[in-house]
Amino acid sequence: MEKDNAKFPYTIYDAHHHLWNLSSVEYPWLNAKGVKRFFGDPAPIQKNYLAKDFQSDINALPVKKSVHIQVGADDPLAETAWLQNCSDEHGFPHAIVAYCDLENKDRNASLDQLQEHSALKGIRQIIGRHPEEDAQHGTSSLLSNTEWHKGLKELAMRNLSFDLQIIPDQMKKMYQILKNLEHLQVVICHAGSPWYRDSQGWKIWQQGLLQLAKLPNVHCKLSGLGMFDREWSVESLRPVFDTVLETFGTERVMFGSNFPVDKLYGPYDKLWWSYLELCQGLSDIEKINLFQHNCKNFYKLED
């Protein structure tokens, strides 16, 4: 039976989504036709996705706040300026997580420019996408880059958070870095990319999350799960959900849509009703934490 979105019982803070305007900002991956990505064929989303499109997908769901995560623009300053204009004009997004090349010795100047925008809350510089793509981009080398480590420390000094997109194979090294950065607020994107469903791969992912969760400044997003499970259902997502909740607790986990990327795998409302179904058995306050409070507190969002 179709759900009545207006009756969704909890306020939603979407902790992870994207917008793009292909005529205002250059996105190389969105303009590269016929190129498959680790999450599949992007052709259906290689077009503008504006605030009005996001609001159309939201429909009657009670989405009060949203967090925009950088999405591979070739000019992160232009992307952030455009997003700030969107926020000012349309109300969405309420927080911006921008890109900055933290290994670059000019990073402070870039961060100064990014922080001129009032909605800026943090930075994402992707470490892990998929082993094959990482081999092409070389981003995993950042884990051994001392300048990049200094860049993370700079974020903490500026009271900016870090969105950590990583794959399970990289978690041990990342733990060694973050254990010396206790003042940096970190959130793991997409549940740490649970690529591997064989027993050994699943164990690597679980153990990596357990190690990172030892650090009280590290949080975790349940987002983008369709990229790793394209025919997902509530039952197929349950092992990921249960593992993340058991590992981080209900005070360090937040929900995100990863739209429009995860629009490739299902509609917006199906995703949020599925999150709600996964939460059966949790208390009201635990559900409120997952749907709203944890995102609000991490990104310092106002009511």
Side-chain angles (χ1 to χ4, degrees), residues 113-131:
Q113 289 179 280
L114 289 168
Q115 287 193 280
E116 293 176 4
H117 301 289
S118 60
L120 186 83
K121 300 294 183 179
I123 296 297
R124 178 173 78 159
Q125 185 172 11
I126 293 175
I127 309 304
R129 298 169 179 83
H130 181 275

Side-chain angles (χ1 to χ4, degrees), residues 40-246:
D41 182 0
I45 57 172
Q46 289 181 308
K47 58 185 179 181
N48 285 350
Y49 190 75
L50 309 176
K52 65 181 180 64
D53 302 307
F54 183 51
Q55 289 170 314
S56 177
D57 282 331
I58 290 171
N59 196 352
L61 283 171
V63 178
K64 184 176 181 181
K65 304 279 184 177
S66 79
V67 180
H68 184 282
I69 310 300
Q70 66 85 15
V71 65
D74 70 343
D75 184 345
L77 296 177
E79 180 188 39
T80 305
W82 177 74
L83 287 164
Q84 183 66 59
N85 288 335
C86 287
S87 180
D88 294 340
E89 183 175 351
H90 302 288
F92 285 95
H94 302 83
I96 299 170
V97 175
Y99 173 85
C100 179
D101 184 0
L102 296 176
E103 68 174 325
N104 192 313
K105 292 185 178 180
D106 293 331
R107 59 185 166 260
N108 285 6
S110 296
L111 289 169
D112 287 343
Q113 289 179 280
L114 289 168
Q115 287 193 280
E116 293 176 4
H117 301 289
S118 60
L120 186 83
K121 300 294 183 179
I123 296 297
R124 178 173 78 159
Q125 185 172 11
I126 293 175
I127 309 304
R129 298 169 179 83
H130 181 275
E132 291 180 5
E133 286 199 17
D134 290 344
Q136 295 175 6
H137 292 278
T139 49
S140 60
S141 65
L142 292 171
L143 294 169
S144 303
N145 188 308
T146 55
E147 282 299 322
W148 188 70
H149 300 170
K150 291 177 185 177
L152 291 174
K153 187 175 182 180
E154 180 66 25
L155 295 185
M157 293 173 63
R158 292 171 178 258
N159 203 26
L160 292 172
S161 61
F162 185 67
D163 265 62
L164 172 61
Q165 186 163 327
I166 195 169
I167 62 175
D169 316 65
Q170 301 165 332
M171 289 179 180
K172 283 186 178 180
K173 282 188 177 180
M174 197 69 217
Y175 170 78
Q176 295 300 323
I177 296 166
L178 292 180
K179 73 178 184 179
N180 298 313
L181 291 167
E182 66 272 13
H183 298 300
L184 176 64
Q185 291 299 303
V186 177
V187 61
I188 301 169
C189 298
H190 310 325
S193 305
W195 275 110
Y196 316 118
R197 297 306 171 96
D198 61 281
S199 60
Q200 183 58 31
W202 190 260
K203 186 176 180 181
I204 292 171
W205 173 71
Q206 285 180 308
Q207 290 179 338
L209 287 184
L210 281 168
Q211 193 170 34
L212 288 169
K214 293 177 182 177
L215 305 172
N217 56 315
V218 177
H219 307 245
C220 191
K221 287 183 190 179
L222 283 161
S223 61
L225 300 182
M227 295 189 297
F228 316 105
D229 181 5
R230 296 176 196 174
E231 302 296 328
W232 67 268
S233 66
V234 170
E235 287 312 308
S236 72
L237 294 184
R238 193 174 298 281
V240 176
F241 175 85
D242 289 347
T243 298
V244 169
L245 263 287
E246 289 168 7

